[in-house]
Amino acid sequence: MKHAFMRTAVLVSAVVLGAGAALAQESPATNETEVGAQSRPAPGALAAHMSDPVKELTADHTKFEILKGPFASGPEVTAACLSCHTEASNQVMHSVHWKWEYENPATGQVLGKAKELNAFCGNVASNETRCTSCHTGYDWVDVRQPMPDDPTKVDCLVCHDTSGQYAKQDNLAGNPPLEPVKDGSKTITGAKATPVDLVKAALSVGEPSRQNCGNCHFYGGGGDNVKHGDLSSALFDPPKAVDVHMSKDGANFTCEACHVSDKHVLAGSRYNTDVVDPHAAERKPGEARDVASCTSCHSDAPHTGPNPVLALKLNDHTDRVACQTCHIPEFARGGVATKTWWDWSTAGKLKEGKSYGEENFIQSDGKHLHTYLSTKGDFQWAENVVPYYAWSNGVMSYTLPETQINPTQIVEINAIGGEPGDKDARIFPFKRMGGKQAYDTERNVLLYNHVYGPGDGAALWSHFDWEKSLKFAMDYVGLEYSGKFDFVETYMYWPITHMVAPKDDALKCDSCHAENGRMANVAGIYVPGGGIGIGGKLGLVVFLMALLGVAGHGVLRLFGRKGGHHG
Amino acid sequence: MAEHFVKVYTRFNRIWHWSQVVSIMLLFFTGARMLGLHQLGPFGLAVTVHTLVALALLLLWAFATFWLFTTGGWRQFIPRLTGMVKVARFYAFGVFKGEEHPYHKTFDRRHNPLQALAYFALKMALFPAIWISGLLYLSYNLWGANDAQAFWLGLVANIHVLAAFAIAAFVVAHVYLLTIGHGFREHVRPMLTGYDRVDLTPEAEAYLAQKGLLKD
């Protein structure tokens, strides 16, 4: 019985294996098209031998046939990536980088680029192919709808290219410039667009560098350092004086050193900022952290000098003052100015029927920056800017498209959360962006604008007509618009957390501990040295009375001429 | 009763006094820097010096208090009314007419009644006010966690500054009064040499002579 069973099993196995082999031989073409027009190398054929140099990563992407192309588009490269990294796109599609939508757990507000209004270009909706040029995907042409669930539309290269020549064109909804590139085309960094070599890019993939992140994040708002103030092209290769963490002479960190990633979701948010790391003390040495705050690495008692007394006193500050407040004395350092004022109300002026620009700001490197554009209005710029300080628990509440505003006051596009003295709040530095934006004078709500859209007859940048631009945009997003508009002054706050200076350049005590020091307008604190106060005033009176008293007494003694001197 | 040169200030007494002079001056200077009354030297250095000198002075005060109680020296500082009116009248009128100071030092009462009252107020009110507020100020982080609006810190700081000015006012009067009577130098010398002219009873004279505390 036993032998008979064994024999049957072997026979069955042989038949199955034989059939499998036969099937495989019959359909080599199917296999090839699936994998990308190359034959699959034998298992182990690509493996490095002991005699080869040891590499950093366990996979050498230059060896993969599938990455050798040819590729006709970005999505074709992504498809190749997905043939091994089957879950990568799914992870990316669950990130803010992809969704441009973020539900703030602290406020319940639905934010994100696809939803909110800002104090720069205003809104993405109706301006897509231009604004979505920085999207980490391809072909998002209508942000009223979420990106389709298409894994090949994820742009792997924008983050993982290390060849340095992959770029996104500034008006192709996230696609790179490919042959033929239209004359005058630019990339999202404002550089001249040249055709991208997708094969070269695909073979180069690696971990994201500052170059990858910076190509989008350093150019937010339409130009170098326009938006953040603490994120500029100066950080591609900064001297230590500009950023101790990112400088080659410092820690030479990539962005993910702090913005640690988990399943393609990166730590850190300007909607819900980690002002403090509440679990730093509970973490074991070397344990993974997922909070992008200074104290995640430095602890909340990092000072050891310049002497033990001051070290203690400096550490005494950390329950009220964020590290950034002293250690980023100014932002927009390193020779790249940031936009501090954007007045849309003056946009649309023409000279002899033509749009024009003025360049009256001269950056420290001699470069002239625009201070007026017919397309965008008036601008102000600044370098080495002293931040605006405010108590912050990191939670930003936005003036959303349908939020009622009070046009007699300056409208805060985002209000900084946190009360003085809150356990989870610190005095934090911000860039305060000012400007004027369109609002509905009947409904008292901010208005969407339509600035970009060649050929549709309404875009501001082509037609310089606010009526048409605003009507088109409000219709596009499906919101009510009275047709009457004006411009209201706005503030928008951007947390300042990059460009940490060497410790010798940190603020000195009397930057704050002096009359009219940096904390002069911050509520809920007592700053020694910030003014002599009631105690000082009373004390001075007592002291001066004593001085006057003895002076008077002395004069009387001299006046009497007899004095008390006789010994 | 006859006047003699007697050792009234022991070595510790003098060290105590001059250490206080130096530390209080340093505290005034660094405190004024922090308050913003002058900009001489870095703020951080002022904090460091102020803190260390204050702690050292507190230590000295602890020793001095111990010393005062073990030697009975504390009795010197208990104010009494006897002669108070005379002394007050002297400073208000007599001094302008060249009158003699009505008070004569004795060995166990070297301060006149007004002086004793002033020192008593200094030791019982101003010094405790400055060091209690100072210690609270210094240790704010240990107790201020729930002081969300910094109200208590502001209160402590204002009390500290007010007390400091009051002590400064004391110093002004203290130094000025040295110019009255036998003159500034005559008044300062005992605190340097330890010896001062004091009325002694024959019994005290005999006792102090035996102890070697008489100079002539």
Side-chain angles (χ1 to χ4, degrees), chain A residues 61-317:
Chain A
H61 286 82
T62 62
K63 290 180 176 176
F64 294 134
E65 286 301 319
I66 196 168
L67 295 180
K68 290 176 181 165
F71 302 115
S73 69
E76 284 187 17
V77 179
T78 302
C81 302
L82 289 169
S83 62
C84 291
H85 301 279
T86 57
E87 309 306 305
S89 280
N90 185 29
Q91 290 186 350
V92 172
M93 290 192 288
H94 284 87
S95 72
V96 178
H97 268 130
W98 175 261
K99 290 196 258 186
W100 283 14
E101 183 183 305
Y102 174 79
E103 189 178 337
N104 192 334
T107 60
Q109 285 189 325
V110 179
L111 304 169
K113 290 181 185 301
K115 306 286 172 188
E116 81 202 39
L117 298 168
N118 71 29
F120 294 86
C121 289
N123 49 279
V124 174
S126 84
N127 305 305
E128 277 88 350
T129 56
R130 178 124 175 124
C131 298
T132 54
S133 60
C134 284
H135 184 240
T136 181
Y138 300 114
D139 304 318
W140 199 4
V141 293
D142 184 354
V143 297
R144 292 171 300 182
Q145 307 297 327
M147 273 294 279
D149 179 6
D150 180 349
T152 66
K153 293 290 189 187
V154 171
D155 185 349
C156 304
L157 293 176
V158 72
C159 301
H160 293 285
D161 165 68
T162 69
S163 72
Q165 51 88 43
Y166 181 82
K168 283 164 169 285
Q169 194 165 314
D170 72 359
N171 59 356
L172 294 180
N175 284 291
L178 297 171
E179 293 279 14
V181 175
K182 217 173 124 189
D183 267 354
S185 298
K186 286 180 175 175
T187 71
I188 53 174
T189 66
K192 184 177 182 292
T194 50
V196 159
D197 183 340
L198 290 174
V199 173
K200 196 173 168 192
L203 291 171
S204 80
V205 290
E207 285 187 52
S209 66
R210 292 193 298 274
Q211 196 72 37
N212 298 95
C213 307
N215 281 340
C216 288
H217 290 278
F218 296 168
Y219 295 88
D224 197 353
N225 205 17
V226 163
K227 202 179 255 178
H228 285 273
D230 64 342
L231 288 177
S232 77
S233 64
L235 297 180
F236 283 133
D237 184 17
K240 201 173 173 187
V242 171
D243 192 302
V244 291
H245 295 112
M246 295 192 235
S247 174
K248 279 198 194 101
D249 305 322
N252 200 14
F253 278 170
T254 61
C255 304
E256 316 89 88
C258 297
H259 296 277
V260 283
S261 70
D262 179 25
K263 300 190 273 292
H264 278 92
V265 173
L266 296 152
S269 167
R270 66 184 168 85
Y271 303 121
N272 201 0
T273 307
D274 296 315
V275 172
V276 292
D277 178 359
H279 305 296
E282 299 157 23
R283 205 178 298 119
K284 295 182 186 77
E287 192 174 337
R289 66 197 162 76
D290 57 1
V291 175
S293 73
C294 307
T295 53
S296 307
C297 297
H298 291 284
S299 89
D300 59 358
H303 305 96
T304 54
N307 64 53
V309 174
L310 283 187
L312 275 171
K313 262 299 150 203
L314 290 172
N315 286 336
D316 276 357
H317 285 70

Side-chain angles (χ1 to χ4, degrees), chain B residues 114-193:
Chain B
L114 213 57
Q115 208 179 355
L117 182 68
Y119 285 144
F120 188 76
L122 184 74
K123 285 176 189 299
M124 298 311 289
L126 290 185
F127 280 172
I130 200 85
W131 67 253
I132 292 173
S133 63
L135 284 176
L136 285 172
Y137 210 160
L138 193 63
S139 63
Y140 178 64
N141 252 54
L142 301 178
W143 59 270
N146 293 313
D147 184 23
Q149 300 296 319
F151 169 79
W152 292 104
L153 179 61
L155 185 71
V156 162
N158 275 289
I159 289 173
H160 192 69
V161 169
L162 179 59
F165 272 114
I167 292 169
F170 171 87
V171 170
V172 167
H174 180 72
V175 172
Y176 171 73
L177 289 173
L178 293 177
T179 66
I180 291 183
H182 299 283
F184 188 76
R185 281 188 189 180
E186 290 294 316
H187 276 145
V188 174
R189 189 177 297 126
M191 199 45 94
L192 292 169
T193 62

Side-chain angles (χ1 to χ4, degrees), chain B residues 2-3 18-19 47 49 54 60 77 81 107 110 128 141 143 180-181:
Chain B
E3 284 207 333
W18 291 111
S19 308
V47 172
V49 172
L60 181 69
F77 296 95
L81 286 170
F107 185 67
R110 48 175 198 268
N141 252 54
W143 59 270
I180 291 183

